[in-house]
Amino acid sequence: METAGERIVLVPTMGALHEGHLSLVDRAAQVGTKTVVSIFVNPKQFNIAADLERYPRDEGRDIALLNDRGVDVVFAPEVDEVYPENFSTQVSVSRLTARWEGAGRPGHFEGVTTIVSLLFHLVSPDVAIFGEKDFQQLRVIEQMVRDLGLRIEILRAPLIRELDGLAMSSRNVRLSAEGREKAVTLSRSLTKAVACAEEGGRDVEEILTIAKEELRPLIETGELVIDYLVVVDEENLEPIAVLSPEKAARVLLTASLEGIRLLDNMPLPRTHS
Ligand code: AMP
């Protein structure tokens, strides 16, 4: 609820900020009167302890970047402030979490929806912004807000890429120089899928074959391990077999390179006959 004419916008992050995060922050300034950015590496959403440990952190740099961007409040709580001893509650969204990140990372989305619920209660924003980089997460949050009747507007922010097309991610800094070069193959593969659909391709198997062809050399050497490469209905995130003008569809790709999990996705054009 708006108080005293303020429109508070929350941008939840796990820090190690890059231009992708900052694009959300800039959007927040456009749509609200006060921007709150949270920085919290949420242990509950990591299903592998080593992944949590290796997650990049640089709070000093993050705060400086956010100050430069004119952010009003940076909320960076400690783990035991957020989850005091005997914390026992979990927020869980079914269906949309069953596949993809949900299947590959048990407990991940429960961690996400629990922390986002807590942040919503602590900050009481009017608006919260989430990136399409994590498209499934965005859909899960939209569903949660709808189901619980939360009076928070969820805004979608477009995925921001490096100049060569690699989806910006805090995890990219963990790639070696060689790995970084190879990582661009993911977005190239998705671009091929989009091009196929733009040229009138409707058969998803055909679209995915073309996308996979781009990844094949790295798969064959064992450098790239695909977790999933799928075309889904944007609403229910279920796989679809044929593109149709009525349904927004998106190609999702998650793969590991140098043991680092990389996520990318692109919307497929609807304008096919
Ligand atoms: P994270 O710090 O990875 O939890 O991300 C915090 C927010 O920033 C989430 O809503 C992400 O979807 C969003 N985000 C991360 N990377 C990007 C990107 N490359 N483009 C747009 N949004 C992003």
Side-chain angles (χ1 to χ4, degrees), residues 18-21 23-24 27 130-136 138 156-162 165-169 172 186-187 190 250-253 262-267:
H18 49 67
E19 284 299 321
H21 296 113
S23 72
L24 274 59
R27 181 86 193 281
F130 292 85
E132 289 182 345
K133 161 80 182 1
D134 302 279
F135 191 77
Q136 187 177 13
L138 167 66
R156 297 180 171 194
L159 195 164
I160 303 297
R161 300 178 179 280
E162 302 287 355
L166 174 66
M168 287 190 184
S169 164
N172 292 349
L186 273 78
S187 60
L190 297 186
R250 199 169 272 258
V251 56
L252 311 179
L253 170 58
L262 301 174
L263 279 73
D264 202 345
N265 71 78
M266 288 185 192

Side-chain angles (χ1 to χ4, degrees), residues 15-34:
L17 302 179
H18 49 67
E19 284 299 321
H21 296 113
L22 296 175
S23 72
L24 274 59
V25 170
D26 291 345
R27 181 86 193 281
Q30 287 164 5
V31 300
T33 59
K34 289 269 184 293

Side-chain angles (χ1 to χ4, degrees), residues 166-179:
L166 174 66
M168 287 190 184
S169 164
S170 302
R171 288 191 166 92
N172 292 349
V173 298
R174 288 178 44 212
L175 291 166
S176 70
E178 204 186 326

